[in-house]
Amino acid sequence: MLKLFIRNFVKQKTVGILNISSLSLGIMVSVIVGLWTIQSFSFDNFHTNGNRIYRSITQVKVNGVENLYPSIFKPYGEEAIAKYPDIEAMCRVVINYNNEEVWVGNQIYPDSKTLIADNNFFTVFTFPIIEGDNAASVIDSPDKVVISEKAAKRLFPGENAIGKTI
């Protein structure tokens, strides 16, 4: 069988190269689609109620151009909760695309990635809290923030970040 393949490949190099290339491309696309599917089904699977968390997207058409935004307005969420009793809670999470500065004392940390979320964020999402209050009260007032362990090490090297002002 291998001898036949080599003999035909030597006689018809163009056809052989096209066949091998298309077979390689087909296998490569199948592997990429498979890996993408596995990643999609495993994304954020660590949340306790991950199968009950949904994301709403706003579709806006301006000047004939359609844009999708990964957020909704608060009145829409409140109306949805009132209209559909299956919705248990609504939590808005807004990514701050402005890459605002974070100030710690007189030190400025530019291009800091920040999120703005409702106070029930840690009751909907089960991110682990390493230090500080419990999930229900960790951001129960506007003057509280939560930072990641990586951000705490960057902003407060060698010291405890709890109780510090940002």
Side-chain angles (χ1 to χ4, degrees):
M1 191 70 152
L2 185 59
K3 288 182 183 180
L4 182 63
F5 171 75
I6 293 171
R7 190 179 325 135
N8 286 335
F9 185 75
V10 170
K11 288 181 182 177
Q12 300 175 350
K13 288 183 182 175
T14 306
V15 173
I17 290 172
L18 283 173
N19 284 339
I20 291 172
S21 299
S22 62
L23 178 64
S24 300
L25 184 65
I27 291 172
M28 191 171 54
V29 167
S30 297
V31 168
I32 288 172
V33 168
L35 290 173
W36 177 77
T37 304
I38 290 169
Q39 192 269 342
S40 293
F41 282 116
S42 66
F43 188 75
D44 282 352
N45 248 1
F46 61 90
H47 294 297
T48 304
N49 296 320
N51 61 339
R52 294 174 23 208
I53 298 174
Y54 294 90
R55 180 182 191 186
S56 295
I57 295 176
T58 303
Q59 179 179 357
V60 179
K61 194 171 190 178
V62 178
N63 296 330
V65 178
E66 185 176 296
N67 292 313
L68 298 175
Y69 296 100
S71 62
I72 60 170
F73 297 105
K74 185 177 182 180
Y76 175 81
E78 292 170 347
E79 183 178 333
I81 288 175
K83 189 173 183 180
Y84 301 105
D86 292 342
I87 298 176
E88 298 172 24
M90 172 197 68
C91 178
R92 293 172 299 147
V93 179
V94 179
I95 300 171
N96 188 356
Y97 290 107
N98 296 330
N99 291 332
E100 295 197 12
E101 303 168 336
V102 172
W103 289 65
V104 177
N106 292 329
Q107 181 71 31
I108 301 172
Y109 295 90
D111 298 331
S112 297
K113 297 177 183 175
T114 57
L115 296 176
I116 302 168
D118 285 339
N119 60 357
N120 65 341
F121 180 82
F122 285 103
T123 56
V124 174
F125 301 101
T126 53
F127 289 104
I129 297 175
I130 298 171
E131 290 186 47
D133 295 335
N134 61 12
S137 65
V138 71
I139 49 175
D140 60 356
S141 64
D143 63 337
K144 290 185 178 180
V145 297
V146 175
I147 58 175
S148 67
E149 185 176 9
K150 182 179 174 183
K153 288 178 181 176
R154 185 178 77 132
L155 299 173
F156 304 101
E159 54 184 308
N160 189 354
I162 298 212
K164 304 287 184 186
T165 301
I166 296 179

